[in-house]
Amino acid sequence: MPRRSPVPAAPRERSVFLALLPWPERVQVARALRTETVGGLVLLAAAVVALVWANTPFGSAYESIRGFHFGIPALGLDLSVGHWTADGLLTVFFLVAGIELKRELVVGELRTPATAALPVVAAVCGMAVPAALYLATTGIGGGSRAGWAVPMATDIAFALAVLAVLSTHLPSALRAFLLTLAVVDDLGAILVIAVFFTADLNPLALGGALVGLVVFYLLQRFRVRGWWWYVPLGVAIWALMYNGGVHATVAGVAMGLILRTIRDQGEKASPGERTEHLLRPFSAGVAVPLFALFAAGVSISAASLGEVFTRPEPLGVVLGLVLGKTVGIFTGTYLAARFTRARLNPDLAWADVLALAVLAGIGFTVALLIGELAFPDPADAEHIKAAVLLGSLIAAAAAALLIKRRNGIYRRLREAETRDDDADGVPDIYQQASPGHGRAGSGN
């Protein structure tokens, strides 16, 4: 009996990069981006107010308010207004970031290695290249290497504020890719802050913070509900973490990662969803703008702007944000798509990825925070802040030009993506094509 030839295995279908998002994920992303966009506009206004205030005859009042101390000295919490916004209010921002990261790891783009590979590779390259460019610049110029982490992080709220000002019709998949990049960026920034910017450690206080986190986990594990359990415990964990020598924002991330993000049967919202729903508007609309108000106030003059391009440290920050982010993210994305089974949505072009890579050079909030940690001397910190503001402005302007060139294509894609002729609340495209596949036709 003749031996049958083995049937060749069908090649696995390549996944589409920047394809139409599944409907539940799109709803979640849209909700998050809506709040971040509004918060980004408030953040932009706060930064402008800080710059104007610091460069008027009332600049001394700005410095006095930022340096005013209050708190509870007996608990080691006698902080200035600037430190309260950086160490206190930004903890809320990082708590929300921790919840976002947990959701991405459990049910989002980062839940499987195949889907996580591309945004993770892009984000890691987008952090490594700016840091390397900063180190190369300061190495050649004989400057301090302390600020290598400043140009690493992307400010999603500021980036979305730029998109809102442009009135762009960016498709949801591109916005989701930007959000995922920012989430991984935030994780990198958190690790950098925790590992490289810790003060003298207090083992007793750190031990207390760890015990608090264990209690926090057990409360979640046994489904204990009620804010009166979590709010006092969270404040205690934050205070102990601060006194332990680790930057207090790490406490926010840790609690965000512990919060449960998967709903139990019959549960309308998970604890993570409820917490994010309550805190995201406060984080985006109050906490981050107040931090910007007391962090972005730097004196601007022709001499200070000239020093941004003549001193190696601020020059390294500008080059890291403008060139490093662009080269890192675009190259990382291309390599991941080239050597994995991902392929670009046929409706989009690599020019769209380049525009997002340039836009990711807006590194405002976390970059300012790391700049303050890396350069404790206020005079040095002022130059770094000016470099962050200037680099973010250049990245925003360049991204605006690139995005505007493609905005007509974005408009057509957005219209197709949101069309709902049967008025059932679900766009028609979700009833015509399966999520994960590109739409017919090319906009390239």
Side-chain angles (χ1 to χ4, degrees):
M1 185 176 181
R3 181 179 298 177
R4 293 182 180 180
S5 301
V7 178
R12 287 187 296 172
E13 184 179 0
R14 300 178 69 188
S15 60
V16 180
F17 168 52
L18 297 179
L20 184 67
L21 295 176
W23 177 242
E25 186 176 345
R26 178 178 161 184
V27 171
Q28 186 70 29
V29 168
R31 186 181 299 118
L33 293 178
R34 190 180 306 115
T35 306
E36 292 291 352
T37 301
V38 175
L41 294 173
V42 180
L43 170 64
L44 187 60
V48 172
V49 169
L51 284 172
V52 172
W53 190 1
N55 289 276
T56 64
F58 302 101
S60 59
Y62 174 84
E63 293 296 335
S64 297
I65 294 174
R66 181 164 63 178
F68 179 75
H69 277 246
F70 67 96
I72 308 174
L75 299 179
L77 296 175
D78 184 23
L79 309 177
S80 68
V81 170
H83 278 113
W84 274 114
T85 58
D87 294 283
L89 289 179
L90 275 194
T91 301
V92 179
F93 165 79
F94 279 104
L95 172 59
V96 175
I99 296 172
E100 287 178 345
L101 178 59
K102 177 72 173 289
R103 185 178 62 245
E104 289 290 332
L105 290 170
V106 174
V107 297
E109 289 293 313
L110 306 179
R111 68 185 180 276
T112 61
T115 56
L118 200 147
V120 168
V121 169
V124 170
C125 291
M127 291 184 286
V129 175
L133 193 54
Y134 175 91
L135 290 174
T137 304
T138 54
I140 294 171
S144 169
R145 297 185 177 186
W148 62 272
V150 175
M152 287 176 57
T154 295
D155 192 311
I156 181 65
F158 219 130
L160 291 172
V162 171
L163 294 179
V165 170
L166 293 174
S167 298
T168 182
H169 299 78
L170 207 66
S172 60
L174 282 169
R175 293 177 184 268
F177 180 59
L178 183 61
L179 178 61
T180 306
L181 279 177
V183 169
V184 180
D185 259 359
D186 287 341
L187 174 60
I190 292 158
L191 293 174
V192 166
I193 291 171
V195 174
F196 296 99
F197 296 105
T198 56
D200 295 333
L201 298 181
N202 182 334
L204 187 61
L206 275 182
L210 291 176
V211 170
L213 289 172
V214 170
V215 174
F216 196 98
Y217 168 78
L218 292 174
L219 291 175
Q220 284 290 289
R221 179 71 177 80
F222 292 105
R223 305 302 194 261
V224 177
R225 300 185 62 175
W227 64 266
W228 50 87
W229 293 101
Y230 293 97
V231 173
L233 180 59
V235 172
I237 292 171
W238 171 83
L240 288 166
M241 191 75 75
Y242 176 83
N243 282 286
V246 176
H247 200 271
T249 53
V250 175
V253 180
M255 289 184 282
L257 289 172
I258 291 173
L259 282 170
R260 182 167 51 85
T261 55
I262 297 180
R263 302 176 188 178
D264 287 338
Q265 187 174 2
E267 193 175 34
K268 292 184 178 180
S270 68
E273 290 175 313
R274 291 194 297 269
T275 304
E276 184 181 15
H277 177 74
L278 289 172
L279 292 184
R280 184 181 285 279
F282 176 80
S283 170
V286 178
V288 174
L290 278 178
F291 168 75
L293 180 64
F294 292 107
V298 297
S299 298
I300 301 295
S301 64
S304 63
L305 289 177
E307 288 184 341
V308 170
F309 296 101
T310 56
R311 295 183 57 168
E313 297 89 354
L315 178 60
V317 170
V318 172
L319 293 177
L321 288 173
V322 178
L323 296 180
K325 274 290 184 183
T326 302
V327 172
I329 292 175
F330 184 84
T331 303
T333 304
Y334 177 80
L335 291 176
R338 174 70 177 80
F339 295 105
T340 68
R341 293 188 175 276
R343 62 183 178 87
L344 185 67
N345 186 337
D347 290 327
L348 299 169
W350 282 104
D352 303 301
V353 179
L354 177 64
L356 283 191
V358 175
L359 187 64
I362 300 175
F364 189 75
T365 305
V366 179
L368 290 176
L369 174 62
I370 296 178
E372 289 185 345
L373 296 174
F375 295 94
D377 186 336
D380 292 333
E382 290 288 295
H383 292 106
I384 297 300
K385 289 180 181 180
V388 169
L389 295 173
L390 187 59
S392 298
L393 181 62
I394 294 172
L401 293 175
L402 294 172
I403 290 172
K404 276 296 186 182
R405 289 189 60 186
R406 301 277 298 170
N407 208 32
I409 295 169
Y410 298 152
R411 183 181 296 107
R412 293 194 295 273
L413 293 176
R414 190 72 172 172
E415 288 172 355
E417 193 177 82
T418 56
R419 187 172 181 177
D420 185 19
D421 289 339
D422 55 6
D424 63 350
V426 178
D428 297 338
I429 196 168
Y430 286 92
Q431 298 157 338
Q432 299 168 359
S434 59
H437 292 76
R439 291 174 285 270
S442 175
N444 295 336

